[in-house]
Amino acid sequence: MPNETAVRGELPLQVQRRRLSDYRFGLRIAERGKVVSVGDGVAWVTGLPSAAMDERVAFEDGSEAVVFQLGRERVGAILLRQSPQLKAGVGAHLPGTGLRIGVGDGLLGRVVDPMGQPLDDLGPVNFAARRAMESPSPPIVARDFVRRPLYTGGKIVDTMIPIGKGQRQLVIGDNGTGKTALALDASCTSAGATSVASTC
């Protein structure tokens, strides 16, 4: 793969000449799929037999998706970025990478889409790095001890089921039981100098 980075001070013609001199002929085999249908945030694509779960799919119109269902004839992909031009017949291919998302303190206080593009008109987001969405958790021995409580603002929860700061907590229940309210109260109560609250 030729180096695409332009050297400072190079003229456009010099950049093209360097790229052409670095180019090497070779056989390139790649799968090319085609969109069968699009609806409800899902694109169904044929012609990608080597697609894997959670693999990224790029479309010709600039849309992006991640594979969530593998079938014998087609794959289902959840759209993360969708353009108005995405419809049946648009080409698709597998870039060969999983979904990588931006991480870092630059995201604090920002509103972004699943691909990390800003939705709040505050300019571009400065990511410290990009990491795989499905990355393994650190092993137990690498984690710090839970020493301090994390107060949720709900007296019953804080008294009967204390949550340790830094531990994972699963909130489950039927519709209308207050799961979202509890999570938002915990975010508002714990946000401050020693805690960072984020909402997904």
Side-chain angles (χ1 to χ4, degrees), residues 1-199:
M1 190 68 126
N3 185 7
E4 297 287 334
T5 307
V7 178
R8 182 176 294 205
E10 273 189 320
L11 297 174
L13 188 58
Q14 293 173 323
V15 174
Q16 293 298 328
R17 190 174 291 131
R18 180 169 53 82
R19 288 179 181 171
L20 287 172
S21 66
D22 291 343
Y23 183 80
R24 297 291 177 265
F25 289 100
L27 181 63
R28 293 175 176 85
I29 300 174
E31 294 176 356
R32 180 174 164 76
K34 187 183 291 186
V35 175
V36 177
S37 64
V38 180
D40 296 328
V42 176
W44 295 96
V45 185
T46 59
L48 300 176
S50 66
M53 289 294 289
D54 298 327
E55 189 172 6
R56 196 162 57 92
V57 180
F59 299 94
E60 285 180 341
D61 66 329
S63 300
E64 291 187 68
V66 62
V67 175
F68 81 100
Q69 182 175 347
L70 299 173
R72 187 178 299 274
E73 299 294 330
R74 61 184 187 169
V75 298
I78 298 173
L79 292 165
L80 303 173
R81 181 185 298 148
Q82 181 178 1
S83 78
Q85 291 78 30
L86 184 63
K87 57 185 177 182
V90 172
H93 69 280
L94 301 170
T97 58
L99 182 60
R100 300 181 67 81
I101 55 176
V103 296
D105 290 344
L107 282 166
L108 295 176
R110 300 300 303 272
V111 179
V112 296
D113 69 4
M115 300 302 294
Q117 300 300 319
L119 300 174
D120 52 11
D121 298 328
L122 295 178
V125 181
N126 296 319
F127 299 120
R130 286 196 170 267
R131 293 187 187 164
M133 184 180 72
E134 297 291 337
S135 54
S137 299
I140 297 295
V141 294
R143 301 178 195 175
D144 199 3
F145 292 105
V146 176
R147 296 186 176 92
R148 290 175 292 171
L150 180 72
Y151 296 111
T152 65
K155 290 185 170 54
I156 295 176
V157 176
D158 292 339
T159 306
M160 298 182 64
I161 318 164
I163 299 173
K165 186 174 181 181
Q167 79 180 50
R168 296 177 179 195
Q169 194 68 39
L170 175 65
V171 181
I172 57 174
D174 292 331
N175 291 336
T177 55
K179 300 183 299 296
T180 303
L182 175 64
L184 290 175
D185 284 348
S187 294
C188 294
T189 302
S190 62
T194 59
S195 298
V196 176
S198 65
T199 306

